[in-house]
Amino acid sequence: MSKPRILVTRKIFPEVIARLSQHFDVEANQDDVLWSDAELIERLRDKDGALTTGTQAINAALLAACAKLRIVSNMTVGYNNFDVAAMTAAGVLGTNTPDVLTETTADFGFALLMATARRVTESEHYLRAGKWTRWSYDMFAGAEVHGSTLGILGMGRIGQGIAKRGAHGFGMKVIYHNRSRLTPELEAECKASYVSRDELLAEADHLVLVLPYTPESHHAIGSAEIARMKPTATLINIARGGIVDDAALAEALMDRRIAGAGLDVFEGEPKVQPGLLQVPNVVLTPHIASATVKTRLKMAHLAADNLIAYLEGREPITPVNPAVARNDPGSAARS
Ligand code: DGY
């Protein structure tokens, strides 16, 4: 019996490609060529599965052209590149990589919060530019982190990780807003209090965004929301580009309507809103919140595990549309 055929759409760890090759006939993109949509479709037409990195759109047009496709396994927790309804209608399973990146991403959220509040990159640029000639009492005086109010919008696993770091490590008062309220046990564990979205905006000294990107969360933070924040507040986005209106944020930072921002994700990334590159009071990083070697390796292996399990007729580990798997007797029955 011939092996299922899979496409790995971006460069990933060679050891994961080697592992996948024990189970599948693998076409891997280890030269990391950025394929157009048409090229991606061409390569996917004869494949049973794909391992993607969250930047390739899996939409109705692609699904219609790739009738053999049964699973797309994202090596990311966020899956806004999936048209889940279209995938479900086409009987294509989607999987993601939750849990394995939670703590690493929460660490980075905190790193960005601290760098923004304490003006780490702004002061480093000053030093590197040879501008540091003497000490001054107000040089790069920033915002307090310990004892301040940490606001979290989106209280999933990563939000809870950030809450625990803030509450237990830095003695912060933690408030959050989420579609659904946490259980009393989880609220106690995170030492977090549920507030309305308006209260969150008005009371947070540091507001961290950790919600998924959906049509409803598009521009969830724009000029109106920024206007409700304290002028001393900072805004941290480690969720997804598009949740913040980056042009409105750049203007607000320029006018010092809030004190600063830390951004790991951008609307239309890897392009960055030009205004953001002009303002000093923003820390900018290239979507690296989950980027430690250990965690990225875990993500790649989990993405591979999902492909191997499903295409060998077993339950996928972390499906995003599990109904597809329930309705599918498995590859053994099909091939
Ligand atoms: C994720 O896993 O969703 C991270 O943002 C990396 O893309």
Side-chain angles (χ1 to χ4, degrees):
M1 200 169 69
S2 60
K3 289 179 179 176
R5 309 184 79 179
I6 66 155
L7 180 70
V8 180
T9 62
R10 295 289 308 278
K11 183 179 178 186
I12 61 164
F13 296 92
E15 59 260 54
V16 178
I17 298 287
R19 196 173 146 231
L20 287 166
S21 301
Q22 292 169 5
H23 300 262
F24 306 123
D25 184 353
V26 181
E27 179 179 341
N29 181 9
Q30 290 301 80
D31 291 334
D32 215 18
V33 177
L34 292 180
W35 295 321
S36 66
D37 292 349
E39 283 167 324
L40 176 64
I41 288 177
E42 227 17 74
R43 288 168 193 277
L44 261 185
R45 273 186 204 285
D46 61 347
K47 304 295 187 300
D48 302 281
L51 191 154
T52 56
T53 53
T55 45
Q56 298 82 24
I58 307 300
N59 53 30
L62 177 142
L63 295 165
C66 303
K68 264 195 100 197
L69 194 62
R70 298 186 50 232
I71 170 170
V72 181
S73 175
N74 250 10
M75 187 189 138
T76 56
V77 65
Y79 52 90
N80 51 297
N81 61 314
F82 288 171
D83 180 336
V84 177
M87 289 172 76
T88 305
V92 174
L93 182 77
T95 61
N96 68 340
T97 58
D99 300 322
V100 291
L101 48 59
T102 300
E103 299 303 328
T104 301
T105 306
D107 282 349
F108 190 82
F110 227 86
L112 206 47
L113 185 160
M114 295 199 66
T116 305
R118 299 302 308 274
R119 305 174 66 181
V120 172
T121 56
E122 193 184 346
S123 60
E124 186 188 347
H125 288 148
Y126 175 88
L127 181 151
R128 283 180 187 271
K131 294 181 183 166
W132 185 31
T133 53
R134 63 174 114 171
W135 184 91
S136 150
Y137 81 97
D138 61 350
M139 189 167 59
F140 295 105
E144 211 71 270
V145 175
H146 72 272
S148 64
T149 298
L150 170 61
I152 302 176
L153 186 57
M155 199 59 154
R157 288 165 284 230
I158 297 170
Q160 291 167 37
I162 291 170
K164 286 179 201 161
R165 280 159 179 77
H168 301 291
F170 290 83
M172 296 168 93
K173 173 182 170 188
V174 181
I175 54 176
Y176 77 98
H177 184 78
N178 195 39
R179 269 176 309 186
S180 50
R181 194 170 167 168
L182 296 183
T183 60
E185 293 74 26
L186 275 178
E187 283 192 351
E189 219 177 280
C190 298
K191 285 192 160 180
S193 310
Y194 183 83
V195 294
S196 71
R197 183 181 276 255
D198 280 348
E199 282 172 287
L200 186 79
L201 292 168
E203 287 174 26
D205 292 312
H206 307 288
L207 176 60
V208 184
L209 308 179
V210 212
L211 64 168
Y213 181 67
T214 60
E216 295 73 46
S217 65
H218 180 74
H219 285 189
I221 303 290
S223 358
E225 289 73 22
I226 293 170
R228 288 193 208 125
M229 293 173 69
K230 295 178 184 175
T232 50
T234 65
L235 174 70
I236 311 300
N237 188 5
I238 57 163
R240 275 291 180 270
I243 293 177
V244 175
D245 177 345
D246 284 349
L249 175 62
E251 270 182 33
L253 289 168
M254 183 77 77
D255 300 346
R256 303 266 166 182
R257 276 182 260 142
I258 57 171
L263 307 174
D264 185 48
V265 287
F266 304 88
E267 254 187 308
E269 66 186 48
K271 290 198 182 116
V272 176
Q273 218 286 326
L276 290 172
L277 299 171
Q278 305 305 320
V279 287
N281 46 338
V282 60
V283 180
L284 306 168
T285 53
H287 204 147
I288 57 168
S290 64
T292 64
V293 178
K294 259 189 171 174
T295 291
R296 286 279 162 91
L297 193 56
K298 284 189 202 161
M299 292 162 69
H301 275 300
L302 177 53
D305 290 342
N306 274 311
L307 278 168
I308 295 167
Y310 193 57
L311 290 177
E312 292 187 347
R314 297 185 300 278
E315 287 288 308
I317 299 141
T318 46
V320 305
N321 53 351
V324 169
R326 279 198 297 273
N327 293 332
D328 186 330
S331 64
R334 284 195 171 208
S335 49

Coordinates of all heavy atoms in Angstrom, one line a residue, residues 53-54 75-79 97 101 105 238-240 264-265 287 289-290 296 299, ligand 1:
T53 N 2.2 26.6 8.6 CA 2.8 27.4 9.7 C 1.9 28.6 10.0 O 2.3 29.6 10.6 CB 4.2 27.9 9.4 OG1 4.2 28.5 8.2 CG2 5.2 26.7 9.4
G54 N 0.6 28.5 9.6 CA -0.3 29.6 10.0 C -0.4 30.8 9.0 O -1.2 31.6 9.2
M75 N 1.1 24.4 12.5 CA 2.1 24.4 13.6 C 2.0 25.7 14.4 O 3.0 26.5 14.6 CB 3.5 24.3 13.0 CG 4.6 24.1 13.9 SD 6.2 24.2 13.1 CE 7.1 25.2 14.3
T76 N 0.8 26.1 14.8 CA 0.5 27.3 15.6 C -0.7 27.0 16.4 O -1.6 26.1 16.1 CB 0.1 28.5 14.6 OG1 -1.0 28.1 13.8 CG2 1.3 28.9 13.8
V77 N -0.9 27.8 17.5 CA -2.1 27.7 18.2 C -3.3 28.4 17.5 O -4.4 28.0 17.5 CB -2.0 28.1 19.7 CG1 -1.6 29.5 19.9 CG2 -3.2 27.7 20.5
G78 N -2.9 29.6 17.0 CA -3.9 30.4 16.3 C -4.2 29.8 14.9 O -3.3 29.3 14.3
Y79 N -5.4 29.8 14.5 CA -5.8 29.2 13.2 C -6.7 30.1 12.4 O -7.6 29.6 11.7 CB -6.3 27.8 13.4 CG -7.5 27.6 14.3 CD1 -8.8 27.8 13.9 CD2 -7.2 27.4 15.7 CE1 -9.8 27.6 14.8 CE2 -8.3 27.2 16.6 CZ -9.6 27.4 16.1 OH -10.6 27.3 17.0
T97 N -1.8 23.7 17.6 CA -0.8 23.2 18.6 C -1.0 24.0 19.9 O -0.1 24.8 20.3 CB 0.6 23.4 18.1 OG1 0.9 24.8 17.7 CG2 0.9 22.5 16.9
L101 N 2.8 25.7 23.9 CA 3.4 27.0 23.8 C 2.9 28.0 24.8 O 3.4 29.1 24.9 CB 3.3 27.6 22.4 CG 1.9 27.6 21.7 CD1 0.9 28.3 22.5 CD2 2.0 28.1 20.3
T105 N 4.8 31.5 25.6 CA 4.2 32.7 25.1 C 3.8 33.7 26.2 O 4.0 34.9 26.0 CB 2.9 32.3 24.2 OG1 3.3 31.3 23.3 CG2 2.3 33.5 23.5
I238 N 0.1 40.5 21.8 CA 0.8 39.2 21.4 C -0.2 38.3 20.8 O 0.1 37.1 20.7 CB 1.5 38.5 22.6 CG1 0.5 38.2 23.8 CG2 2.7 39.3 23.1 CD1 1.1 37.2 24.7
A239 N -1.4 38.8 20.4 CA -2.4 37.9 19.9 C -2.3 37.8 18.4 O -1.7 36.8 17.9 CB -3.8 38.5 20.4
R240 N -2.9 38.7 17.7 CA -2.8 38.6 16.2 C -2.9 40.1 15.7 O -3.6 40.9 16.3 CB -4.0 37.9 15.7 CG -3.8 36.4 15.6 CD -2.8 36.0 14.5 NE -2.6 34.5 14.5 CZ -1.8 33.8 15.2 NH1 -1.0 34.4 16.0 NH2 -1.7 32.5 15.0
D264 N 4.0 42.4 19.1 CA 4.7 41.2 18.5 C 4.0 40.8 17.2 O 4.5 40.0 16.5 CB 4.7 40.1 19.5 CG 5.5 38.9 19.0 OD1 6.6 39.1 18.5 OD2 5.0 37.7 19.0
V265 N 2.8 41.4 16.9 CA 2.0 41.0 15.8 C 1.4 42.3 15.2 O 1.2 43.3 15.9 CB 0.8 40.0 16.2 CG1 1.3 38.7 16.6 CG2 0.1 40.6 17.4
H287 N 6.8 38.8 15.6 CA 6.0 37.6 15.9 C 6.8 36.4 16.4 O 6.9 35.3 15.8 CB 5.2 37.2 14.6 CG 4.0 36.4 14.9 ND1 2.9 36.4 14.1 CD2 3.7 35.5 15.8 CE1 1.9 35.6 14.5 NE2 2.4 35.0 15.6
A289 N 6.6 35.4 19.9 CA 6.2 35.1 21.3 C 6.4 33.6 21.6 O 6.8 33.3 22.8 CB 4.8 35.5 21.5
S290 N 6.3 32.7 20.7 CA 6.4 31.3 21.0 C 7.8 30.7 20.6 O 8.1 29.5 20.7 CB 5.4 30.4 20.3 OG 5.5 30.5 18.9
R296 N 9.3 25.6 19.9 CA 9.0 25.4 18.5 C 9.1 23.9 18.1 O 8.4 23.5 17.2 CB 9.9 26.3 17.7 CG 9.5 27.8 17.7 CD 8.4 28.1 16.8 NE 7.7 29.3 17.1 CZ 8.0 30.5 16.6 NH1 9.0 30.7 15.8 NH2 7.2 31.6 16.9
M299 N 6.0 22.2 19.1 CA 4.9 22.6 18.2 C 5.0 21.8 16.9 O 4.0 21.2 16.4 CB 4.9 24.1 17.9 CG 4.6 25.0 19.1 SD 5.2 26.7 18.9 CE 4.0 27.3 17.6
Ligands
DGY1 C1 0.7 30.8 17.3 O1 1.0 29.7 17.6 O2 -0.5 31.1 17.0 C2 1.7 31.9 17.3 O3 1.2 33.1 17.2 C3 2.7 31.6 16.2 O4 2.2 31.9 15.0

